[in-house]
Amino acid sequence: MSNDILVIAEHLDGKVADISYEMTGKARELAAALGGKVTVALLGQGMAGQAGGFASDATLVIDDPALANFNPEAYGRVIAALIAARAPRLTMLGSTSSGMDLTAWLAVRSSLPCVASVNQLAAEGDELRISSQIYGGKVAAQVSPEGGRAVVAVMAGAFPAAAGRGAGPVEQSASPVSLDGLRVTFSKLIRPEAGDIDITTYDKLVSVGRGIGGQENIELAQELAGALGAALSGSRPIIDAGWLPKTRQVGKSGLSVKPKLYLMLGISGAPEHLEGMKDAELILAVNSDPKAPIFDVAHYGSTCDLFEVTEALLEALG
Amino acid sequence: MKIVVAIKQVPSLADEVELNAEGTNLDFDAVDFVLNEWDEQAIEQAVLVKEAGSGAVTVIGVDATGELDGVLHTALAKGADAVAKVAGEFEPGLTSHAQARLLSSAIIDMAPDLVLTGVQAPDDLDGQLGPMLAALMDLPYVGVVNSVQVSGRTATVHKEYAGGLMAEFSVQLPAVIGIQAASQPPRYAPVSKVRQLAKTATIEEIETAEDELESGLSVRSMTRPVSVGHADMIAGDAKAVAGRIIAILNERGLI
Amino acid sequence: MLTLAEEIAFILLVVVLGGLTAVGFRGIATLVRSGRAAPPREDVPRRLMSALIDVGLQRPIFKARPVLSTFHAFIFFGFSFYFLVNVADLFEGFIPGFALAYGAGGAAGPFLGGVANLFNLVADILSVLTLVGMIAFLVRRFGMKDKRLSFNDGVLLHPGVQAGGVRRDSAIVGTFIMLHVGSRFLGQTLRLAETGKADPFMPFASLTSLAFGGLSASALSLGIHVTWWTAIGLIVCFLPYFVFSKHIHLMVAPLNLGLIKPGPRGLLDPAVPKGAPDDMAPGAAQLQDLGWPRLLDAYACIMCNRCQEVCPAHGSGRPLSPAALEVNKRYLFNHHFTSLAKGEQADIPLLAMAISPEAVWSCTTCYACVRVCPVGNEPMADIVDIRRRMIYDTAEIDSGIQGALEGIGKNGNWFGKVARTRARWAKDAGVPIKDATKEPVEYLWFVGDTASFDQRVVPLTQKVARVLSHAGVDFGILNNEERNAGNDVRRVGEEGLFEMLVEQNMKAFGKAQFKQIITTDPHSLNTLRNEYPQFGAEYPVHHYTAVLLELLEAGKLQVTEKLGRYLATYHDPCYLGRYNQGYEPPRRLLELAGMRFAEMPRNRENSYCCGAGGGQIWLGSAPAGERPAESRIREALETLSPITGDAEQLLFVVSCPKDVVMYTDAVKTSGNEGKIVVRDIIEVLEEALGLTEPAGLPDTAQVPV
């Protein structure tokens, strides 16, 4: 076991994602405490140009056509080999669409403990203290890996990205393992269909969640959005139920928005949703549960019935 | 084609959650258990795949609550062809590692062509079930998937990324797929059918020799998250709240 | 009278055609019995007898359409008497020398002569009345083209019906009656002409006989023979057709009325017959999945479309016609008669052939069709059974209904609220409300979903609490243990969820101590009163209007202010009125409150559904057209506007939480805001009782919808 930290950088559509820097920054802090080094692994093809921007002790660029686009099997093989070869104290991945495919898989493959949805990381003495948000953000679990090593999935936005930017040295390497005979093949990227409005361009959003109750109530929220000159967006359950199109989804598997006003009706604030809207300038939340996590993020809140408030707002707005 | 759906029950988050006296997990006596909602999507996707082609769907879980039968009967009512549970004395709060080991050793004997499971669950402290199953059974895994189409020995899946972007993969079967959302909203499970099945259906009980159930994590504590800030709560009835909201918006020139 | 050849011909005809007819009837019996079992009919002879008396007095048909019913009564009495007439005619034909008294002579002795004269008088008058009635019917159908006999666009109709089968059948039956009765009457006319005398006991035939005075004896004799055949012979020829004609209603209707389901209106038959195997699918997909009484219904149906006329779904232009359902069933029976008569199972999917899914989901289960049916049919029961199977097979479930059912399954209510918030309204009711699961109470108040969660109704729920409390009533609620009572869940067809809710509520009842149940919700009242006893929960169940009236009459509440400034009408909720006959207490309360009152044309038994029942309130999208509630508001305004006088305010008074929501909405959508105000009876009463309102509670009428 080393005290080194391995950060698996992430890129989507040719661009390194912020989560990579967020993890690197945190990794630096931990490595300093533990007396180890930070290695960032950037898997891909033609990504070397962006490899020099990490505050790492080393940035390992693994270039292979099979890694050009994310492929859970190919990436898994390469990272498993890196973990086996380097035995890092901590392996960090993003708790993102791609990171979630790999973290638990790598942990089992490498016989290491795994921690999901990590939002705090610290080294106390020689011990790693990891905090994970579970039960929809309603509980924070503080855990330590037995044996000291772990593979963790870090929530986007948990740490500042700036601390991870720098100019660490870049090493180029071929894939340490064969990438032949893959059973998973990347075919293509599918871009969101145009045709609906682009909610990321709106100054004001009215966003609805499960609390809206039924499809028939969407109209009322739409009415309020109309009266405010806002667009209507929603959380994942509303989109999964087919009540709003996918283009209106805010959150981890939807869009990230930064409007001037984010008015939330019946959204409890699961971490996946917060990820997509926490940077809004003004967040107003109406939710009947006073303990809903959203009230930790919102600027103003009310536990009144959302329909009553909506109706009262409509009346006040004429 | 044999499709297996691995599911688990999780504490309902509709109600407030209570922590146990030691502060190491939830007070499982005080929570209602429900089917993990992503697993519900996985069941729907499995039935859709079956309906689009042919085959049979088996839904399997570990009964850690003593209440899994109802969930399995519901799965049958939604179109699953068979249901099974891993037999044994289990307590609520089984880790993902434990679930994955128990389920993988049961599923591997079924020689499935396709294993579906929810991409995540609210109690996934030590990782998600799907990738663990894949690793334990040495099958390929793709997660965060919202559409599965099977043709011959290949599944074409759509994986969701942020910002509405998706990637299409083809996956050689057998494989494990983590479902984010089924291509259609889950169908209704008629209670009439569920109750009837409760009388007539058989749940296969599978014994496993698996005893390595540790996650390798020691939980020091579980707490309610310390909030960095808290919203300024507006008091009063709906009218008062609306009035205050309008005032705030006016102040900021938003209306 | 008949020649030997004629006699032989007639007997042959009877043997052949009568035999054929008997086979037909046997087939019908086999076919009806191939339906699923129904709850046992009790006391059948007495019920059949009372059905016969009702039919004899034409009671069932006079429930609606008085003019047409009068013509029907003519034909009915004529036809009934013609049974005797036909026997007498047979005797005349076959017994040489047997003749009824013609020209007041010929019969033996004064007594027999008197009987014959009376017989002739009645026959003469009824013949004419029958012909008048029949002509009226034919003119209405073929001349005036009464549009009540046509169907809405989109109503599923059997190809035979589309091809004008009902019109053709009506024409054949009409022609048969005209020919049969007309021939007999003509025959009597000719007999009188033969005698050359008028008969004071046959006034009409005497009159017409004048026209035939000039005919020769042989011509008259030939005429008498011919008319005998076209009267009596025709019946025999018509008999085999009878099996396939709607005219069979004259035999099946009394039988159907006698075999009507036992028990209260508000009790649905179980989804699978008692004692059926565990794996039997509930409800009906195939025609023969329906209970046998539903199959018999199709033979009783005379296709008068009265059910359609009172149907709120039909009234708002939706593709539902209870009549079309029965007519289709009948045509399907005729089409598949050969195999069905052998007792075989035929492949007749109801949703493809008898009624469309959209029609099935349009029914409000208001019971108006069943109530109005003159032959005791229950098309609503078919619809509920079809829904049951659709839900079971998860076929074509509306997303709104699915959402409501899921919510009820998960949280016990359809408002998408977690169960623990159910009693939140009680916190700011202004009076303490007991938890019946913690302390004993006299009355358990079963609150219901709408009254607990709908923000437009909650203030009214709180008013009820305050008035009850003011009157010193000892009541409590089940708090968060209450679940949706399941009335509408059952009527949407989710029998399993209904049973689950009954179990959950009964478990809560078990934790509580109380003697009687009170509710403001007629839907809850119906199932608690009529269906829960089947599961072992037997409690007296009262609507709040009945309890309030009792309190007023006992002096525990006193009217301090007469509300003469209001002019009100009252809407009977289906599940309080038509289902449970709670007509009088609300009206008495309004009277005691001292307001001016006028009935809408459709009141009490004839009340018109608001359109919310049977799960309609859950439907994802509102269909186009004037909704039932809007039609009702129009009816109220048409009733009240002309007599407004110096009334300060017109009130539309309701006594059902769903009505509050539906009508408050309908006043707005129909553009009648400011003209009429919807008030729950509790608001009216609170005002009359002079109970001042705590400040800050909104008035329902002002809460925006």
Side-chain angles (χ1 to χ4, degrees):
Chain A
M1 181 176 86
S2 69
N3 276 325
D4 293 346
I5 296 175
L6 177 62
V7 174
I8 308 302
E10 193 173 299
H11 55 92
L12 183 58
D13 212 9
K15 188 178 173 296
V16 172
D18 276 357
I19 178 77
S20 315
Y21 303 109
E22 294 167 15
M23 290 190 290
T24 308
K26 191 65 184 179
R28 264 183 76 90
E29 182 192 318
L30 293 171
L34 294 166
K37 289 193 160 46
V38 175
T39 304
V40 173
L42 180 59
L43 285 61
Q45 187 185 29
M47 294 300 295
Q50 293 177 62
F54 292 95
S56 61
D57 295 302
T59 299
L60 188 61
V61 175
I62 298 174
D63 203 282
D64 193 292
L67 302 172
N69 285 286
F70 175 73
N71 176 327
E73 193 180 23
Y75 276 52
R77 278 193 202 173
V78 172
I79 301 166
L82 291 177
I83 293 175
R86 296 166 174 252
R89 180 75 190 268
L90 182 67
T91 304
M92 297 170 79
L93 294 98
S95 180
T96 56
S97 180
S98 50
M100 277 170 64
D101 280 9
L102 298 172
T103 315
W105 186 88
L106 290 167
V108 170
R109 272 302 156 112
S110 317
S111 300
L112 290 172
C114 171
V115 190
S117 308
V118 170
N119 65 344
Q120 287 176 47
L121 271 164
E124 272 194 32
D126 192 43
E127 202 182 354
L128 277 175
R129 303 222 149 180
I130 306 171
S131 182
S132 164
Q133 269 194 317
I134 52 171
Y135 298 121
K138 288 185 169 183
V139 171
Q142 284 82 35
V143 299
S144 292
E146 291 160 9
R149 296 177 62 196
V151 183
V152 299
V154 177
M155 303 282 291
F159 310 117
R165 295 186 203 273
V170 176
E171 292 170 31
Q172 294 270 0
S173 158
S175 171
V177 283
S178 157
L179 294 174
D180 294 340
L182 291 173
R183 293 167 292 179
V184 177
T185 319
F186 169 86
S187 311
K188 61 182 178 197
L189 279 180
I190 303 167
R191 294 178 194 284
E193 272 174 49
D196 192 29
I197 58 163
D198 178 0
I199 55 170
T200 61
T201 63
Y202 276 73
D203 269 357
K204 292 179 258 185
L205 289 175
V206 170
S207 209
V208 294
R210 231 189 272 264
I212 196 83
Q215 186 168 19
E216 64 280 7
N217 300 326
I218 297 287
E219 204 178 313
L220 184 69
Q222 179 65 62
E223 220 176 294
L224 177 61
L228 286 168
L232 185 64
S233 55
S235 63
R236 190 187 51 78
I238 302 298
I239 279 73
D240 283 355
W243 299 346
L244 281 177
K246 181 83 189 156
T247 43
R248 306 292 185 103
Q249 184 180 341
V250 172
K252 183 178 196 152
S253 48
L255 295 158
S256 284
V257 295
K258 287 180 187 176
K260 290 192 172 131
L261 166 66
Y262 194 70
L263 174 56
M264 312 170 73
L265 302 172
I267 298 180
S268 66
E272 292 83 4
H273 188 76
L274 301 184
E275 218 179 290
M277 47 59 71
K278 61 181 182 333
D279 297 327
E281 284 176 33
L282 173 65
I283 302 170
L284 297 171
V286 182
N287 192 299
S288 57
D289 179 4
K291 299 238 164 73
I294 192 56
F295 292 126
D296 298 337
V297 175
H299 302 104
Y300 295 92
S302 161
T303 54
C304 275
D305 182 89
L306 73 92
F307 299 106
E308 274 186 80
V309 174
T310 306
E311 278 156 7
L313 278 172
L314 280 170
E315 195 171 332
L317 292 164
Chain B
M1 192 171 74
K2 191 160 179 73
I3 308 167
V4 174
V5 186
I7 59 159
K8 63 176 176 175
Q9 282 180 292
V10 295
S12 164
L13 300 177
D15 275 303
E16 229 172 273
V17 292
E18 306 267 341
L19 294 163
N20 63 14
E22 304 80 44
T24 53
N25 213 325
L26 299 188
D27 176 2
F28 291 117
D29 293 334
V31 298
D32 286 335
F33 284 93
V34 294
L35 175 62
N36 173 29
E37 56 177 298
W38 285 274
D39 293 345
E40 206 171 326
Q41 302 282 345
I43 293 174
E44 178 63 32
Q45 187 63 64
V47 175
L48 289 173
V49 169
K50 176 185 86 168
E51 285 170 352
S54 63
V57 174
T58 302
V59 175
I60 181 169
V62 180
D63 192 359
T65 60
E67 296 168 2
L68 188 71
D69 289 8
V71 174
L72 295 176
H73 291 140
T74 305
L76 285 171
K78 289 184 174 213
D81 302 284
V83 288
K85 62 181 177 187
V86 177
E89 296 287 315
F90 305 108
E91 296 285 321
L94 272 188
T95 63
S96 298
H97 272 80
Q99 300 251 9
R101 295 215 172 260
L102 292 166
L103 287 169
S104 63
S105 64
I107 293 172
I108 212 154
D109 292 338
M110 298 177 170
D113 298 295
L114 181 62
V115 179
L116 300 185
T117 187
V119 67
Q120 59 175 322
D123 62 352
D124 282 340
L125 174 60
D126 60 324
Q128 289 81 24
L129 185 63
M132 292 187 182
L133 288 175
L136 292 168
M137 295 192 284
D138 195 21
L139 296 178
Y141 176 79
V142 181
V144 203
V145 163
N146 64 16
S147 143
V148 179
Q149 278 175 317
V150 174
S151 157
R153 300 297 300 162
T154 308
T156 304
V157 302
H158 288 172
K159 175 179 176 64
E160 288 186 1
Y161 292 127
L165 200 63
M166 288 193 290
E168 185 176 294
F169 290 94
S170 18
V171 186
Q172 268 177 43
L173 299 184
V176 180
I177 307 291
I179 299 295
Q180 164 76 14
S183 19
Q184 282 174 25
R187 66 197 65 194
Y188 183 63
V191 184
S192 301
K193 204 167 214 168
V194 176
R195 289 168 71 95
Q196 192 180 63
L197 288 160
K199 288 186 220 157
T200 57
T202 28
I203 296 172
E204 188 191 353
E205 299 207 16
I206 300 176
E207 306 273 348
T208 69
E210 191 59 57
D211 53 4
E212 198 197 316
L213 302 178
E214 296 306 310
S215 71
L217 289 183
S218 67
V219 176
R220 291 201 314 277
S221 68
M222 286 204 195
T223 51
R224 295 188 186 286
V226 193
S227 48
V228 226
H230 196 272
D232 185 352
M233 297 304 283
I234 306 169
D237 64 2
K239 258 193 183 138
V241 171
R244 181 90 173 89
I245 291 178
I246 300 279
I248 295 167
L249 298 183
N250 269 325
E251 236 167 72
R252 305 199 172 208
L254 289 167
I255 42 172
Chain C
M1 179 203 91
L2 295 178
T3 63
L4 185 62
E6 279 179 317
E7 285 179 358
I8 291 169
F10 185 80
I11 288 166
L12 274 176
L13 211 57
V14 168
V15 169
V16 173
L17 297 179
L20 212 58
T21 311
V23 171
F25 274 103
R26 246 183 88 109
I28 292 176
T30 309
L31 177 165
V32 168
R33 274 202 297 256
S34 75
R36 283 192 176 177
R41 271 41 185 167
E42 287 151 14
D43 211 2
V44 173
R46 193 191 56 79
R47 281 164 165 270
L48 276 175
M49 189 47 73
S50 94
L52 277 175
I53 293 168
D54 278 351
V55 168
L57 297 172
Q58 292 284 279
R59 266 189 199 139
I61 194 172
F62 272 99
K63 285 190 283 196
R65 298 187 186 167
V67 176
L68 285 169
S69 298
T70 307
F71 287 124
H72 180 272
F74 289 172
I75 302 173
F76 168 79
F77 290 123
F79 244 69
S80 305
F81 193 71
Y82 255 59
F83 183 70
L84 292 179
V85 169
N86 295 338
V87 172
D89 288 356
L90 271 180
F91 286 176
E92 275 195 344
F94 279 84
I95 302 172
F98 182 92
L100 291 165
Y102 295 106
F111 175 70
L112 266 182
V115 170
N117 284 337
L118 185 61
F119 180 87
N120 280 339
L121 180 64
V122 175
D124 192 58
I125 294 170
L126 285 179
S127 296
V128 173
L129 287 182
T130 304
L131 291 172
V132 168
M134 203 57 236
I135 288 166
F137 275 3
L138 290 171
V139 167
R140 169 226 187 193
R141 182 177 288 271
F142 297 100
M144 291 158 59
K145 307 225 159 93
D146 190 337
K147 65 175 185 299
R148 290 179 297 191
L149 294 171
S150 60
F151 300 102
N152 276 352
D153 286 346
V155 171
L156 176 69
L157 294 173
H158 186 276
V161 182
Q162 278 175 350
V166 177
R167 281 172 66 84
R168 196 179 59 237
D169 191 24
S170 302
I172 293 171
V173 171
T175 311
F176 160 72
I177 293 175
M178 294 299 294
L179 267 177
H180 171 60
V181 176
S183 297
R184 205 278 172 176
F185 183 71
L186 185 60
Q188 299 305 86
T189 300
L190 296 177
R191 281 166 187 270
L192 281 184
E194 220 175 20
T195 63
K197 278 191 275 181
D199 182 336
F201 294 100
M202 299 168 78
F204 292 108
S206 299
L207 203 64
T208 47
S209 72
L210 295 177
F212 299 94
L215 287 183
S216 68
S218 61
L220 284 173
S221 169
L222 177 67
I224 288 166
H225 277 259
V226 169
T227 53
W228 190 92
W229 276 99
T230 49
I232 303 301
L234 185 70
I235 298 180
V236 183
C237 296
F238 185 74
L239 276 177
Y241 179 73
F242 199 67
V243 174
F244 298 99
S245 151
K246 67 176 195 171
H247 202 45
I248 200 175
H249 87 287
L250 70 86
M251 293 176 73
V252 181
L255 187 66
N256 204 39
L257 286 163
L259 294 174
I260 225 156
K261 92 170 171 193
R265 287 177 172 183
L267 168 65
L268 284 177
D269 284 353
V272 287
K274 259 210 176 105
D278 278 344
D279 59 353
M280 185 185 242
Q286 293 279 328
L287 187 49
Q288 285 159 296
D289 291 337
L290 292 168
W292 65 262
R294 304 288 72 79
L295 303 188
L296 189 62
D297 281 350
Y299 280 97
C301 180
I302 187 57
M303 311 178 187
C304 66
N305 287 15
R306 287 170 187 234
C307 47
Q308 166 181 300
E309 198 180 344
V310 297
C311 173
H314 174 266
S316 47
R318 306 201 61 191
L320 169 60
S321 164
L325 170 62
E326 297 298 349
V327 175
N328 287 339
K329 277 157 66 183
R330 185 60 200 285
Y331 273 73
L332 291 164
F333 285 153
N334 285 352
H335 188 82
H336 297 268
F337 193 78
T338 337
S339 70
L340 290 170
K342 282 187 241 157
E344 292 170 4
Q345 290 286 320
D347 177 32
I348 311 175
L350 287 161
L351 283 174
M353 298 188 173
I355 185 168
S356 69
E358 197 192 339
V360 168
W361 291 117
S362 301
C363 174
T364 68
T365 69
C366 73
Y367 206 80
C369 57
V370 184
R371 209 283 307 180
V372 81
C373 181
V375 298
N377 285 352
E378 291 190 50
M380 195 196 94
D382 297 51
I383 291 175
V384 170
D385 260 339
I386 295 169
R387 287 178 174 185
R388 283 166 165 170
R389 183 65 68 84
M390 288 175 86
I391 295 274
Y392 180 81
D393 290 339
T394 55
E396 312 225 22
I397 305 179
D398 173 89
S399 69
I401 288 179
Q402 175 171 342
L405 293 176
E406 279 168 348
I408 293 171
K410 209 182 287 174
N411 305 311
N413 69 76
W414 53 273
F415 283 80
K417 305 281 184 185
V418 290
R420 76 182 140 83
T421 60
R422 188 170 194 98
R424 195 172 269 186
W425 67 268
K427 279 192 191 140
D428 28 71
V431 288
I433 292 169
K434 288 184 186 173
D435 182 341
T437 62
K438 302 229 166 75
E439 51 186 318
V441 292
E442 169 71 25
Y443 286 100
L444 175 71
W445 181 2
F446 196 97
V447 188
D449 286 3
T450 310
S452 299
F453 291 108
D454 194 299
Q455 293 306 318
R456 292 163 285 190
V457 184
V458 162
L460 307 175
T461 312
Q462 292 167 335
K463 279 181 207 282
V464 173
R466 288 197 293 275
V467 171
L468 290 178
S469 171
H470 176 80
V473 176
D474 178 27
F475 70 96
I477 57 175
L478 289 172
N479 237 336
N480 299 333
E481 306 252 350
E482 183 185 298
R483 294 287 176 272
N484 181 297
N487 191 70
D488 298 352
V489 168
R490 190 174 208 197
R491 278 144 190 89
V492 149
E494 230 304 21
E495 190 77 358
L497 182 56
F498 168 70
E499 287 168 8
M500 192 173 108
L501 293 167
V502 173
E503 285 163 15
Q504 288 171 342
N505 280 314
M506 282 179 62
K507 202 171 139 200
F509 291 164
K511 288 188 198 166
Q513 283 184 58
F514 61 94
K515 298 201 179 80
Q516 325 186 38
I517 294 176
I518 175 176
T519 180
T520 61
D521 175 25
H523 297 246
S524 300
L525 173 123
N526 182 64
T527 190
L528 290 169
R529 181 185 280 173
N530 300 315
E531 298 184 317
Y532 275 50
Q534 299 251 314
F535 297 83
E538 290 188 63
Y539 302 98
V541 185
H542 311 280
H543 194 238
Y544 72 126
T545 52
V547 174
L548 291 172
L549 181 60
E550 237 176 72
L551 293 169
L552 271 163
E553 284 174 342
K556 290 185 181 153
L557 290 174
Q558 258 137 21
V559 171
T560 58
E561 195 197 342
K562 295 276 181 187
L563 305 177
R565 60 182 177 278
Y566 296 134
L567 172 59
T569 191
Y570 171 73
H571 164 78
D572 288 284
C574 306
Y575 280 94
L576 177 63
R578 204 151 36 233
Y579 275 104
N580 287 291
Q581 288 72 49
Y583 300 123
E584 295 316 318
R587 290 179 168 77
R588 277 285 294 149
L589 287 173
L590 294 182
E591 193 186 328
L592 290 170
M595 50 182 36
R596 282 176 58 209
F597 181 79
E599 289 284 4
M600 287 183 278
R602 295 177 286 189
N603 64 67
R604 293 187 172 81
E605 285 277 88
N606 291 311
S607 179
Y608 193 63
C609 179
C610 74
Q616 293 297 302
I617 203 165
W618 299 331
L619 280 183
S621 54
E626 188 188 43
R627 290 178 294 155
E630 293 169 350
S631 148
R632 196 69 166 145
I633 292 295
R634 192 161 46 83
E635 181 180 357
L637 282 169
E638 280 163 11
T639 304
L640 299 180
S641 297
I643 54 165
T644 305
D646 56 358
E648 287 171 20
Q649 180 63 266
L650 304 185
L651 295 188
F652 187 93
V653 180
V654 296
S655 60
C656 164
K658 287 194 179 77
D659 282 335
V660 173
V661 177
M662 294 299 287
Y663 288 116
T664 314
D665 203 27
V667 166
K668 289 182 184 166
T669 53
S670 62
N672 286 306
E673 265 176 298
K675 293 188 196 148
I676 191 162
V677 168
V678 177
R679 282 270 192 264
D680 190 275
I681 216 156
I682 194 66
E683 295 175 277
V684 172
L685 206 65
E686 196 187 41
E687 201 176 337
L689 296 171
L691 295 177
T692 48
E693 174 127 319
L697 286 170
D699 182 319
T700 39
Q702 288 160 11
V703 173
V705 179

